[in-house]
Amino acid sequence: MSSTADYKTEFMRAAIHGGPLSFGSFTLKSGRQSPYFFNAGQFYRADLLEAISTAFGHTIAEADKAGVFLTEGADKDTSSAASFDVVFGPAYKGVPLATAAVSALARLDKARYGGIGYAFDRKEAKDHGEGGNFVGAPLAGKRVVIVDDVISAGTAKREAVAKIRAAGGIVVAIVVALDRMETLPDAPTKESALGALRREFGLPILAILNLDNIIEGMKPFATADDLARTEAYRAQYKAED
C-alpha cells in the first residue's frame, strides 16, 4: 500500500470509528437532509488529531512538491524550498487544523518545512496588547495556504481570502478535509461550492477525502440502509464539476 493510501485510509478510519463522521439523518445549512455529517470539531482526541494532521500534512506536501501551489512568475524549482510560507486556518475550526498541519509538515520534512508558519484570524479585532485581526505569522508578502474542514456554501473561504489579501498576503491554495461533491442549492448549473470557488478565484482547491471515498470506506461496516441512503444522496445531489 502506498503512503498516500496509508494516510487517507487512517484518516477515514479515524473519522468513522472515532466519531467525526456520523451516519443517520442530519439537516444541513442548505436545508437538505443528509445521510451523513462530518464534524472536524470532533477530532479533539490525541489519536484522532494525529490522523487528521498527518492527512493534511501529506496532502499539502504532495501538492507543494508537485508544483501545485506555484503562482505565475514564481520560481519553478520545487526541489528544495517550499512554495508557500504560511498555513492559515479560519476561526474557529480552522485554527487547530492550521497548527496541527504545520506540525505535521515539520515532522515530514523539517529541512523543507521547518520555517513554515501558521496564522488565524480573530472574530473580533483585539484593541489591547499586540492588537490586530490575526494571530501567528505575518501575512504581508507571504504565500498562504488556507486549510479548513469542509466547503459548504464557500462563504467562510471567501471571507478568509479577502482578509488575507487585505493584509497583503497571497493566497495560493485552499485545502479542506472533505469535499461533499454536491451541487450548490438553487444554482443554475450542477456546480459544487468547491468548483465555484475554484472558478471564482482561479486557485487550486484540494480535498483529502470526498463523498466517493466515504461511500467506499463505509461499505465494510455500514448497514444496508445507511449505504443505500448515502448512495441515493450522491445520485441526487452530486455536482458535475
Side-chain angles (χ1 to χ4, degrees):
M1 182 180 291
S2 69
S3 60
T4 300
D6 285 345
Y7 77 76
K8 288 194 175 188
T9 298
E10 177 57 24
F11 176 47
M12 173 74 79
R13 185 204 65 78
I16 291 174
H17 298 294
L21 181 59
S22 304
F23 299 95
S25 181
F26 307 91
T27 302
L28 305 179
K29 287 182 180 180
S30 65
R32 290 174 181 165
Q33 289 298 121
S34 173
Y36 75 98
F37 187 72
F38 179 79
N39 181 5
Q42 294 296 311
F43 283 93
Y44 55 75
R45 210 170 64 205
D47 58 337
L48 302 180
L49 182 62
E50 174 71 11
I52 193 170
S53 63
T54 298
F56 266 112
H58 276 285
T59 302
I60 293 170
E62 289 174 1
D64 166 48
K65 292 176 181 179
V68 173
F69 302 153
L70 290 174
T71 54
E72 187 175 352
D75 185 355
K76 303 300 182 182
D77 182 10
T78 61
S79 59
S80 59
S83 56
F84 64 101
D85 307 296
V86 178
V87 176
F88 181 92
Y92 290 104
K93 287 184 180 178
V95 175
L97 298 180
T99 56
V102 167
S103 179
L105 284 164
R107 292 195 303 272
L108 286 173
D109 189 341
K110 185 168 287 187
R112 187 182 184 96
Y113 300 117
I116 297 298
Y118 72 84
F120 55 89
D121 57 331
R122 304 180 192 272
K123 287 296 186 180
E124 297 180 359
K126 188 176 181 181
D127 59 5
H128 61 281
E130 77 278 16
N133 296 299
F134 301 97
V135 177
L139 299 177
K142 303 300 182 181
R143 299 161 297 179
V144 182
V145 173
I146 298 172
V147 296
D148 212 349
D149 53 353
V150 298
I151 294 178
S152 299
T155 304
K157 311 304 178 290
R158 289 182 176 88
E159 290 176 352
V161 170
K163 287 181 178 181
I164 293 167
R165 289 178 172 175
I170 305 161
V171 179
V172 298
I174 299 172
V175 181
V176 296
L178 176 66
D179 175 12
R180 291 185 60 93
M181 301 176 71
E182 60 189 69
T183 56
L184 285 164
D186 304 319
T189 62
K190 297 197 71 174
E191 184 176 44
S192 69
L194 187 149
L197 283 175
R198 185 182 288 131
R199 173 177 50 78
E200 181 177 344
F201 292 116
L203 293 171
I205 303 179
L206 313 175
I208 301 170
L209 296 176
N210 58 37
L211 179 54
D212 290 340
N213 299 140
I214 288 174
I215 289 174
E216 285 303 309
M218 68 189 288
K219 285 180 179 179
F221 70 89
T223 66
D225 183 59
D226 279 342
L227 181 59
R229 289 190 304 113
T230 307
E231 289 180 328
Y233 187 86
R234 176 175 62 179
Q236 182 175 1
Y237 292 117
K238 186 173 181 180
E240 294 179 347
D241 53 26

